[in-house]
Amino acid sequence: MSSLPSNSFTITDPSIPGHPIVFANPSFLKLTGYSLREVLGWPAAIFSGPLTSQKFVIEIHEIVREEGNAQVILLNYHIDDMPFWMLFCVSPVFSSDGGAVVHFVVVQVPLQKKEGSG
């Protein structure tokens, strides 16, 4: 079994309607199975699926709207619809003059289920 990707992250732009992904690093693409072309311009919701917690999705949207930080364990989906657990961390990036939020950095840390757990 190959090791899980590390340092997986995306950058989103809140100034564009739909708050789309404007950057995804290679580790994120390896983690999800998507190509860069397939994720740029899309909101992070494309990784949600039928078992993704809508409670946490709503919580994340509220925190982002308030320009805050969030950290939750979330079930998302690979391009082939296979679910995977991850630690999802989102943080705002402010303009150099300390003004408006210009981007959000979203770090995704894949989690492995341990033998004998739940």
Side-chain angles (χ1 to χ4, degrees), residues 41-104:
W42 288 93
I46 67 169
F47 310 108
S48 297
L51 299 177
T52 301
S53 169
Q54 289 308 301
K55 174 187 171 199
F56 286 145
V57 170
I58 291 167
E59 180 181 311
I60 292 165
H61 283 284
E62 282 298 308
I63 290 170
V64 165
R65 187 181 60 74
E66 295 169 2
E67 301 179 344
N69 297 293
Q71 181 174 306
V72 298
I73 293 176
L74 197 60
L75 184 71
N76 266 354
Y77 289 79
H78 297 277
I79 192 169
D80 62 4
D81 292 328
M82 290 297 299
F84 69 99
W85 288 99
M86 68 173 172
L87 176 62
F88 179 96
C89 308
V90 60
S91 297
V93 177
F94 294 90
S95 66
S96 60
D97 63 7
V101 171
V102 292
H103 292 100
F104 280 88

Short mmCIF file of all heavy atoms in Angstrom, two decimals, residues 41-104:
data_model
loop_
_atom_site.label_atom_id
_atom_site.label_comp_id
_atom_site.label_asym_id
_atom_site.label_seq_id
_atom_site.Cartn_x
_atom_site.Cartn_y
_atom_site.Cartn_z
N GLY A 41 -11.51 26.46 -10.29
CA GLY A 41 -12.77 27.12 -10.61
C GLY A 41 -13.98 26.49 -9.95
O GLY A 41 -15.09 27.01 -10.07
N TRP A 42 -13.79 25.38 -9.24
CA TRP A 42 -14.90 24.70 -8.57
C TRP A 42 -14.85 24.92 -7.07
O TRP A 42 -13.77 25.01 -6.49
CB TRP A 42 -14.86 23.20 -8.86
CG TRP A 42 -15.24 22.88 -10.26
CD1 TRP A 42 -14.39 22.75 -11.33
CD2 TRP A 42 -16.56 22.71 -10.76
NE1 TRP A 42 -15.11 22.49 -12.47
CE2 TRP A 42 -16.45 22.46 -12.14
CE3 TRP A 42 -17.81 22.74 -10.18
CZ2 TRP A 42 -17.55 22.24 -12.95
CZ3 TRP A 42 -18.92 22.51 -10.98
CH2 TRP A 42 -18.78 22.27 -12.35
N PRO A 43 -16.00 24.97 -6.40
CA PRO A 43 -16.00 25.07 -4.94
C PRO A 43 -15.62 23.72 -4.34
O PRO A 43 -15.73 22.67 -4.99
CB PRO A 43 -17.45 25.44 -4.61
CG PRO A 43 -18.24 24.89 -5.75
CD PRO A 43 -17.35 25.00 -6.96
N ALA A 44 -15.20 23.74 -3.09
CA ALA A 44 -14.79 22.51 -2.41
C ALA A 44 -15.93 21.51 -2.27
O ALA A 44 -15.69 20.33 -2.00
CB ALA A 44 -14.21 22.84 -1.04
N ALA A 45 -17.15 21.94 -2.49
CA ALA A 45 -18.30 21.05 -2.38
C ALA A 45 -18.24 19.88 -3.36
O ALA A 45 -18.92 18.88 -3.16
CB ALA A 45 -19.60 21.84 -2.59
N ILE A 46 -17.42 19.98 -4.41
CA ILE A 46 -17.34 18.86 -5.37
C ILE A 46 -16.77 17.61 -4.72
O ILE A 46 -16.93 16.52 -5.26
CB ILE A 46 -16.54 19.21 -6.64
CG1 ILE A 46 -15.06 19.43 -6.35
CG2 ILE A 46 -17.14 20.38 -7.38
CD1 ILE A 46 -14.19 19.51 -7.60
N PHE A 47 -16.15 17.73 -3.55
CA PHE A 47 -15.58 16.57 -2.87
C PHE A 47 -16.53 15.96 -1.85
O PHE A 47 -16.22 14.95 -1.24
CB PHE A 47 -14.25 16.94 -2.19
CG PHE A 47 -13.33 17.65 -3.14
CD1 PHE A 47 -13.08 19.01 -3.00
CD2 PHE A 47 -12.76 16.99 -4.21
CE1 PHE A 47 -12.25 19.68 -3.89
CE2 PHE A 47 -11.94 17.65 -5.11
CZ PHE A 47 -11.69 18.99 -4.94
N SER A 48 -17.68 16.58 -1.67
CA SER A 48 -18.69 16.06 -0.75
C SER A 48 -19.46 14.93 -1.42
O SER A 48 -19.50 14.82 -2.63
CB SER A 48 -19.68 17.16 -0.36
OG SER A 48 -19.01 18.18 0.35
N GLY A 49 -20.07 14.12 -0.57
CA GLY A 49 -20.87 13.02 -1.08
C GLY A 49 -22.02 12.72 -0.14
O GLY A 49 -22.27 13.47 0.81
N PRO A 50 -22.69 11.60 -0.37
CA PRO A 50 -23.90 11.29 0.40
C PRO A 50 -23.67 11.14 1.91
O PRO A 50 -24.58 11.40 2.69
CB PRO A 50 -24.40 9.99 -0.21
CG PRO A 50 -23.29 9.45 -1.03
CD PRO A 50 -22.40 10.60 -1.38
N LEU A 51 -22.47 10.77 2.33
CA LEU A 51 -22.23 10.58 3.76
C LEU A 51 -21.42 11.72 4.38
O LEU A 51 -21.06 11.66 5.56
CB LEU A 51 -21.52 9.24 4.01
CG LEU A 51 -22.33 8.00 3.57
CD1 LEU A 51 -21.52 6.73 3.78
CD2 LEU A 51 -23.66 7.94 4.29
N THR A 52 -21.14 12.76 3.62
CA THR A 52 -20.46 13.94 4.16
C THR A 52 -21.41 14.64 5.13
O THR A 52 -22.57 14.86 4.82
CB THR A 52 -20.05 14.91 3.04
OG1 THR A 52 -19.20 14.22 2.12
CG2 THR A 52 -19.33 16.13 3.59
N SER A 53 -20.92 14.97 6.32
CA SER A 53 -21.74 15.60 7.35
C SER A 53 -22.18 17.00 6.92
O SER A 53 -21.35 17.91 6.82
CB SER A 53 -20.97 15.71 8.66
OG SER A 53 -21.65 16.55 9.58
N GLN A 54 -23.47 17.17 6.66
CA GLN A 54 -23.98 18.49 6.28
C GLN A 54 -23.88 19.46 7.44
O GLN A 54 -23.71 20.66 7.23
CB GLN A 54 -25.42 18.37 5.77
CG GLN A 54 -25.50 17.69 4.42
CD GLN A 54 -24.57 18.33 3.39
OE1 GLN A 54 -24.66 19.51 3.09
NE2 GLN A 54 -23.65 17.53 2.86
N LYS A 55 -23.93 18.95 8.66
CA LYS A 55 -23.75 19.81 9.84
C LYS A 55 -22.38 20.47 9.80
O LYS A 55 -22.26 21.68 10.00
CB LYS A 55 -23.90 18.96 11.11
CG LYS A 55 -23.60 19.72 12.38
CD LYS A 55 -23.60 18.81 13.58
CE LYS A 55 -23.09 19.57 14.79
NZ LYS A 55 -22.64 18.71 15.85
N PHE A 56 -21.34 19.69 9.50
CA PHE A 56 -19.99 20.26 9.45
C PHE A 56 -19.81 21.17 8.23
O PHE A 56 -19.12 22.18 8.30
CB PHE A 56 -18.93 19.17 9.46
CG PHE A 56 -18.76 18.52 10.80
CD1 PHE A 56 -18.46 17.17 10.89
CD2 PHE A 56 -18.90 19.23 11.98
CE1 PHE A 56 -18.29 16.55 12.12
CE2 PHE A 56 -18.75 18.64 13.22
CZ PHE A 56 -18.44 17.29 13.28
N VAL A 57 -20.44 20.83 7.12
CA VAL A 57 -20.35 21.68 5.92
C VAL A 57 -20.96 23.05 6.22
O VAL A 57 -20.37 24.08 5.89
CB VAL A 57 -21.05 21.00 4.72
CG1 VAL A 57 -21.19 21.97 3.55
CG2 VAL A 57 -20.27 19.75 4.29
N ILE A 58 -22.12 23.07 6.87
CA ILE A 58 -22.76 24.33 7.24
C ILE A 58 -21.89 25.10 8.23
O ILE A 58 -21.71 26.32 8.11
CB ILE A 58 -24.17 24.07 7.81
CG1 ILE A 58 -25.10 23.57 6.69
CG2 ILE A 58 -24.74 25.32 8.48
CD1 ILE A 58 -26.41 22.99 7.18
N GLU A 59 -21.30 24.38 9.19
CA GLU A 59 -20.42 25.02 10.18
C GLU A 59 -19.22 25.66 9.48
O GLU A 59 -18.84 26.79 9.79
CB GLU A 59 -19.94 23.96 11.18
CG GLU A 59 -19.02 24.48 12.25
CD GLU A 59 -18.57 23.37 13.19
OE1 GLU A 59 -19.43 22.61 13.67
OE2 GLU A 59 -17.35 23.28 13.43
N ILE A 60 -18.63 24.96 8.53
CA ILE A 60 -17.48 25.49 7.78
C ILE A 60 -17.89 26.75 7.01
O ILE A 60 -17.19 27.77 7.04
CB ILE A 60 -16.89 24.43 6.84
CG1 ILE A 60 -16.23 23.32 7.66
CG2 ILE A 60 -15.88 25.06 5.88
CD1 ILE A 60 -15.94 22.06 6.88
N HIS A 61 -19.04 26.71 6.34
CA HIS A 61 -19.51 27.88 5.59
C HIS A 61 -19.70 29.09 6.50
O HIS A 61 -19.35 30.21 6.13
CB HIS A 61 -20.82 27.57 4.85
CG HIS A 61 -20.63 26.74 3.62
ND1 HIS A 61 -20.14 27.25 2.44
CD2 HIS A 61 -20.87 25.43 3.39
CE1 HIS A 61 -20.07 26.30 1.54
NE2 HIS A 61 -20.51 25.18 2.09
N GLU A 62 -20.27 28.87 7.68
CA GLU A 62 -20.49 29.96 8.63
C GLU A 62 -19.16 30.56 9.10
O GLU A 62 -19.01 31.78 9.17
CB GLU A 62 -21.30 29.48 9.84
CG GLU A 62 -22.78 29.36 9.55
CD GLU A 62 -23.39 30.71 9.18
OE1 GLU A 62 -23.21 31.69 9.93
OE2 GLU A 62 -24.05 30.78 8.13
N ILE A 63 -18.21 29.70 9.42
CA ILE A 63 -16.92 30.19 9.90
C ILE A 63 -16.20 30.96 8.81
O ILE A 63 -15.60 32.01 9.06
CB ILE A 63 -16.07 29.02 10.46
CG1 ILE A 63 -16.71 28.54 11.77
CG2 ILE A 63 -14.63 29.42 10.66
CD1 ILE A 63 -16.15 27.25 12.31
N VAL A 64 -16.26 30.47 7.57
CA VAL A 64 -15.65 31.16 6.45
C VAL A 64 -16.33 32.52 6.24
O VAL A 64 -15.67 33.53 6.03
CB VAL A 64 -15.69 30.29 5.17
CG1 VAL A 64 -15.40 31.11 3.92
CG2 VAL A 64 -14.71 29.12 5.29
N ARG A 65 -17.66 32.53 6.32
CA ARG A 65 -18.40 33.79 6.17
C ARG A 65 -17.94 34.80 7.22
O ARG A 65 -17.86 36.01 6.96
CB ARG A 65 -19.90 33.54 6.28
CG ARG A 65 -20.76 34.76 5.97
CD ARG A 65 -22.24 34.48 6.12
NE ARG A 65 -22.64 34.06 7.46
CZ ARG A 65 -22.73 34.86 8.52
NH1 ARG A 65 -22.42 36.14 8.41
NH2 ARG A 65 -23.10 34.39 9.68
N GLU A 66 -17.63 34.31 8.41
CA GLU A 66 -17.17 35.18 9.51
C GLU A 66 -15.66 35.41 9.47
O GLU A 66 -15.10 36.02 10.39
CB GLU A 66 -17.57 34.56 10.84
CG GLU A 66 -19.07 34.49 11.03
CD GLU A 66 -19.49 33.65 12.22
OE1 GLU A 66 -18.61 33.14 12.95
OE2 GLU A 66 -20.70 33.49 12.42
N GLU A 67 -14.99 34.92 8.42
CA GLU A 67 -13.55 35.07 8.22
C GLU A 67 -12.75 34.47 9.37
O GLU A 67 -11.73 35.01 9.81
CB GLU A 67 -13.17 36.53 7.97
CG GLU A 67 -13.86 37.09 6.75
CD GLU A 67 -13.53 38.55 6.48
OE1 GLU A 67 -13.02 39.25 7.38
OE2 GLU A 67 -13.79 38.99 5.35
N GLY A 68 -13.19 33.30 9.84
CA GLY A 68 -12.52 32.62 10.94
C GLY A 68 -11.78 31.38 10.49
O GLY A 68 -11.63 31.12 9.30
N ASN A 69 -11.32 30.63 11.48
CA ASN A 69 -10.61 29.36 11.25
C ASN A 69 -11.52 28.21 11.64
O ASN A 69 -12.30 28.32 12.59
CB ASN A 69 -9.35 29.29 12.14
CG ASN A 69 -8.35 30.36 11.81
OD1 ASN A 69 -7.78 30.35 10.74
ND2 ASN A 69 -8.16 31.30 12.73
N ALA A 70 -11.38 27.10 10.95
CA ALA A 70 -12.15 25.90 11.28
C ALA A 70 -11.25 24.69 11.17
O ALA A 70 -10.33 24.66 10.35
CB ALA A 70 -13.35 25.75 10.35
N GLN A 71 -11.55 23.70 11.98
CA GLN A 71 -10.85 22.42 11.93
C GLN A 71 -11.86 21.34 12.28
O GLN A 71 -12.39 21.33 13.39
CB GLN A 71 -9.68 22.43 12.90
CG GLN A 71 -8.88 21.16 12.92
CD GLN A 71 -7.65 21.28 13.79
OE1 GLN A 71 -6.85 22.19 13.62
NE2 GLN A 71 -7.51 20.36 14.73
N VAL A 72 -12.14 20.45 11.33
CA VAL A 72 -13.09 19.36 11.56
C VAL A 72 -12.59 18.09 10.89
O VAL A 72 -11.81 18.14 9.94
CB VAL A 72 -14.52 19.68 11.03
CG1 VAL A 72 -15.12 20.88 11.72
CG2 VAL A 72 -14.51 19.88 9.53
N ILE A 73 -13.05 16.95 11.39
CA ILE A 73 -12.81 15.69 10.71
C ILE A 73 -14.01 15.48 9.80
O ILE A 73 -15.16 15.55 10.22
CB ILE A 73 -12.64 14.54 11.72
CG1 ILE A 73 -11.36 14.77 12.52
CG2 ILE A 73 -12.61 13.19 10.99
CD1 ILE A 73 -11.11 13.76 13.62
N LEU A 74 -13.72 15.26 8.52
CA LEU A 74 -14.76 15.26 7.50
C LEU A 74 -14.59 14.06 6.57
O LEU A 74 -13.47 13.68 6.25
CB LEU A 74 -14.63 16.56 6.71
CG LEU A 74 -15.76 17.04 5.84
CD1 LEU A 74 -17.03 17.27 6.66
CD2 LEU A 74 -15.37 18.33 5.14
N LEU A 75 -15.70 13.51 6.14
CA LEU A 75 -15.69 12.45 5.14
C LEU A 75 -15.89 13.10 3.78
O LEU A 75 -16.90 13.78 3.55
CB LEU A 75 -16.81 11.44 5.40
CG LEU A 75 -16.83 10.24 4.45
CD1 LEU A 75 -15.65 9.31 4.73
CD2 LEU A 75 -18.14 9.49 4.58
N ASN A 76 -14.93 12.94 2.89
CA ASN A 76 -15.03 13.46 1.54
C ASN A 76 -14.84 12.31 0.56
O ASN A 76 -14.68 11.16 0.98
CB ASN A 76 -14.01 14.57 1.28
CG ASN A 76 -14.58 15.95 1.51
OD1 ASN A 76 -15.77 16.11 1.76
ND2 ASN A 76 -13.74 16.95 1.43
N TYR A 77 -14.84 12.61 -0.72
CA TYR A 77 -14.82 11.56 -1.73
C TYR A 77 -13.75 11.80 -2.78
O TYR A 77 -13.54 12.92 -3.22
CB TYR A 77 -16.20 11.47 -2.41
CG TYR A 77 -17.24 10.90 -1.48
CD1 TYR A 77 -17.83 11.69 -0.50
CD2 TYR A 77 -17.61 9.57 -1.56
CE1 TYR A 77 -18.77 11.16 0.38
CE2 TYR A 77 -18.55 9.04 -0.70
CZ TYR A 77 -19.12 9.83 0.27
OH TYR A 77 -20.04 9.30 1.14
N HIS A 78 -13.10 10.69 -3.18
CA HIS A 78 -12.15 10.71 -4.30
C HIS A 78 -12.94 10.85 -5.60
O HIS A 78 -14.16 10.66 -5.63
CB HIS A 78 -11.36 9.39 -4.36
CG HIS A 78 -10.53 9.11 -3.17
ND1 HIS A 78 -9.27 9.64 -3.01
CD2 HIS A 78 -10.76 8.35 -2.07
CE1 HIS A 78 -8.77 9.21 -1.87
NE2 HIS A 78 -9.65 8.42 -1.28
N ILE A 79 -12.24 11.07 -6.70
CA ILE A 79 -12.87 11.19 -8.01
C ILE A 79 -13.66 9.94 -8.38
O ILE A 79 -14.67 10.01 -9.06
CB ILE A 79 -11.84 11.55 -9.10
CG1 ILE A 79 -12.55 11.96 -10.38
CG2 ILE A 79 -10.86 10.39 -9.32
CD1 ILE A 79 -11.64 12.57 -11.43
N ASP A 80 -13.22 8.77 -7.86
CA ASP A 80 -13.91 7.51 -8.16
C ASP A 80 -15.04 7.21 -7.18
O ASP A 80 -15.52 6.09 -7.10
CB ASP A 80 -12.91 6.35 -8.19
CG ASP A 80 -12.22 6.13 -6.85
OD1 ASP A 80 -12.55 6.82 -5.86
OD2 ASP A 80 -11.33 5.26 -6.80
N ASP A 81 -15.46 8.22 -6.41
CA ASP A 81 -16.56 8.12 -5.43
C ASP A 81 -16.23 7.28 -4.20
O ASP A 81 -17.13 6.95 -3.43
CB ASP A 81 -17.86 7.62 -6.08
CG ASP A 81 -18.44 8.62 -7.05
OD1 ASP A 81 -18.27 9.84 -6.82
OD2 ASP A 81 -19.06 8.20 -8.04
N MET A 82 -14.97 6.94 -4.00
CA MET A 82 -14.57 6.22 -2.79
C MET A 82 -14.42 7.24 -1.66
O MET A 82 -13.73 8.26 -1.82
CB MET A 82 -13.25 5.48 -3.00
CG MET A 82 -13.37 4.29 -3.93
SD MET A 82 -14.46 2.99 -3.31
CE MET A 82 -13.63 2.52 -1.81
N PRO A 83 -15.06 7.00 -0.52
CA PRO A 83 -14.96 7.95 0.60
C PRO A 83 -13.61 7.85 1.31
O PRO A 83 -12.96 6.81 1.29
CB PRO A 83 -16.09 7.52 1.52
CG PRO A 83 -16.29 6.07 1.23
CD PRO A 83 -15.94 5.88 -0.22
N PHE A 84 -13.20 8.95 1.91
CA PHE A 84 -12.00 8.96 2.75
C PHE A 84 -12.18 10.01 3.84
O PHE A 84 -12.83 11.03 3.66
CB PHE A 84 -10.73 9.23 1.93
CG PHE A 84 -10.61 10.63 1.37
CD1 PHE A 84 -9.85 11.59 2.00
CD2 PHE A 84 -11.28 10.97 0.20
CE1 PHE A 84 -9.74 12.88 1.47
CE2 PHE A 84 -11.18 12.25 -0.35
CZ PHE A 84 -10.41 13.20 0.30
N TRP A 85 -11.61 9.71 5.01
CA TRP A 85 -11.66 10.64 6.14
C TRP A 85 -10.45 11.56 6.10
O TRP A 85 -9.36 11.14 5.71
CB TRP A 85 -11.65 9.87 7.46
CG TRP A 85 -12.93 9.16 7.71
CD1 TRP A 85 -13.20 7.84 7.49
CD2 TRP A 85 -14.14 9.73 8.22
NE1 TRP A 85 -14.49 7.56 7.83
CE2 TRP A 85 -15.10 8.70 8.28
CE3 TRP A 85 -14.50 11.01 8.61
CZ2 TRP A 85 -16.39 8.92 8.74
CZ3 TRP A 85 -15.79 11.24 9.07
CH2 TRP A 85 -16.72 10.20 9.13
N MET A 86 -10.66 12.79 6.51
CA MET A 86 -9.55 13.74 6.57
C MET A 86 -9.80 14.77 7.67
O MET A 86 -10.93 15.01 8.07
CB MET A 86 -9.39 14.46 5.24
CG MET A 86 -10.51 15.39 4.93
SD MET A 86 -10.12 16.34 3.46
CE MET A 86 -11.66 17.13 3.18
N LEU A 87 -8.70 15.32 8.13
CA LEU A 87 -8.75 16.48 9.00
C LEU A 87 -8.75 17.67 8.06
O LEU A 87 -7.84 17.84 7.24
CB LEU A 87 -7.54 16.52 9.93
CG LEU A 87 -7.43 17.75 10.84
CD1 LEU A 87 -8.63 17.83 11.78
CD2 LEU A 87 -6.13 17.71 11.61
N PHE A 88 -9.79 18.48 8.12
CA PHE A 88 -10.02 19.61 7.23
C PHE A 88 -9.77 20.88 8.03
O PHE A 88 -10.45 21.13 9.03
CB PHE A 88 -11.47 19.55 6.72
CG PHE A 88 -11.86 20.67 5.80
CD1 PHE A 88 -11.80 20.49 4.43
CD2 PHE A 88 -12.34 21.88 6.30
CE1 PHE A 88 -12.20 21.50 3.57
CE2 PHE A 88 -12.73 22.90 5.45
CZ PHE A 88 -12.67 22.70 4.08
N CYS A 89 -8.78 21.68 7.62
CA CYS A 89 -8.44 22.91 8.34
C CYS A 89 -8.49 24.08 7.35
O CYS A 89 -7.84 24.03 6.31
CB CYS A 89 -7.03 22.82 8.91
SG CYS A 89 -6.72 21.37 9.91
N VAL A 90 -9.26 25.10 7.68
CA VAL A 90 -9.38 26.26 6.80
C VAL A 90 -9.01 27.52 7.58
O VAL A 90 -9.39 27.67 8.74
CB VAL A 90 -10.79 26.38 6.18
CG1 VAL A 90 -11.87 26.51 7.23
CG2 VAL A 90 -10.88 27.52 5.18
N SER A 91 -8.23 28.40 6.93
CA SER A 91 -7.80 29.65 7.56
C SER A 91 -7.81 30.78 6.54
O SER A 91 -7.42 30.59 5.39
CB SER A 91 -6.37 29.52 8.10
OG SER A 91 -6.30 28.56 9.11
N PRO A 92 -8.23 31.97 6.98
CA PRO A 92 -8.21 33.12 6.06
C PRO A 92 -6.80 33.66 5.88
O PRO A 92 -5.95 33.54 6.76
CB PRO A 92 -9.09 34.15 6.79
CG PRO A 92 -8.96 33.80 8.23
CD PRO A 92 -8.76 32.31 8.29
N VAL A 93 -6.58 34.26 4.72
CA VAL A 93 -5.34 34.97 4.42
C VAL A 93 -5.74 36.42 4.15
O VAL A 93 -6.54 36.69 3.26
CB VAL A 93 -4.62 34.38 3.18
CG1 VAL A 93 -3.38 35.19 2.84
CG2 VAL A 93 -4.29 32.91 3.39
N PHE A 94 -5.19 37.32 4.95
CA PHE A 94 -5.54 38.74 4.84
C PHE A 94 -4.59 39.47 3.91
O PHE A 94 -3.44 39.07 3.73
CB PHE A 94 -5.53 39.39 6.23
CG PHE A 94 -6.59 38.85 7.14
CD1 PHE A 94 -6.34 37.76 7.96
CD2 PHE A 94 -7.86 39.41 7.15
CE1 PHE A 94 -7.33 37.25 8.79
CE2 PHE A 94 -8.86 38.92 7.98
CZ PHE A 94 -8.59 37.83 8.80
N SER A 95 -5.07 40.57 3.33
CA SER A 95 -4.22 41.39 2.46
C SER A 95 -3.03 41.90 3.26
O SER A 95 -3.06 41.95 4.49
CB SER A 95 -5.02 42.55 1.87
OG SER A 95 -5.42 43.44 2.90
N SER A 96 -1.99 42.29 2.55
CA SER A 96 -0.75 42.72 3.21
C SER A 96 -0.95 43.93 4.12
O SER A 96 -0.18 44.14 5.05
CB SER A 96 0.33 43.01 2.18
OG SER A 96 -0.09 44.03 1.30
N ASP A 97 -1.99 44.72 3.85
CA ASP A 97 -2.24 45.88 4.71
C ASP A 97 -3.15 45.53 5.89
O ASP A 97 -3.58 46.42 6.62
CB ASP A 97 -2.81 47.05 3.90
CG ASP A 97 -4.16 46.73 3.28
OD1 ASP A 97 -4.73 45.66 3.55
OD2 ASP A 97 -4.65 47.57 2.49
N GLY A 98 -3.42 44.24 6.07
CA GLY A 98 -4.23 43.81 7.20
C GLY A 98 -5.72 44.01 6.99
O GLY A 98 -6.50 43.89 7.93
N GLY A 99 -6.11 44.28 5.78
CA GLY A 99 -7.51 44.55 5.48
C GLY A 99 -8.31 43.29 5.20
O GLY A 99 -8.37 42.38 6.03
N ALA A 100 -8.86 43.24 4.02
CA ALA A 100 -9.80 42.19 3.64
C ALA A 100 -9.13 40.82 3.50
O ALA A 100 -7.93 40.71 3.27
CB ALA A 100 -10.46 42.56 2.32
N VAL A 101 -9.96 39.79 3.63
CA VAL A 101 -9.51 38.43 3.35
C VAL A 101 -9.40 38.30 1.84
O VAL A 101 -10.33 38.60 1.10
CB VAL A 101 -10.51 37.39 3.91
CG1 VAL A 101 -10.16 35.99 3.42
CG2 VAL A 101 -10.54 37.45 5.42
N VAL A 102 -8.23 37.86 1.37
CA VAL A 102 -8.00 37.73 -0.06
C VAL A 102 -8.06 36.28 -0.52
O VAL A 102 -8.31 36.00 -1.69
CB VAL A 102 -6.68 38.39 -0.50
CG1 VAL A 102 -6.76 39.90 -0.34
CG2 VAL A 102 -5.49 37.84 0.27
N HIS A 103 -7.80 35.36 0.38
CA HIS A 103 -7.85 33.93 0.07
C HIS A 103 -8.16 33.15 1.34
O HIS A 103 -8.06 33.69 2.44
CB HIS A 103 -6.53 33.41 -0.50
CG HIS A 103 -6.21 33.95 -1.84
ND1 HIS A 103 -5.32 35.00 -2.02
CD2 HIS A 103 -6.64 33.63 -3.07
CE1 HIS A 103 -5.23 35.28 -3.30
NE2 HIS A 103 -6.03 34.47 -3.97
N PHE A 104 -8.48 31.88 1.16
CA PHE A 104 -8.52 30.93 2.26
C PHE A 104 -7.59 29.79 1.89
O PHE A 104 -7.58 29.34 0.74
CB PHE A 104 -9.93 30.38 2.49
CG PHE A 104 -10.82 31.31 3.25
CD1 PHE A 104 -11.56 32.26 2.59
CD2 PHE A 104 -10.90 31.25 4.64
CE1 PHE A 104 -12.38 33.14 3.28
CE2 PHE A 104 -11.70 32.13 5.34
CZ PHE A 104 -12.45 33.07 4.66
#
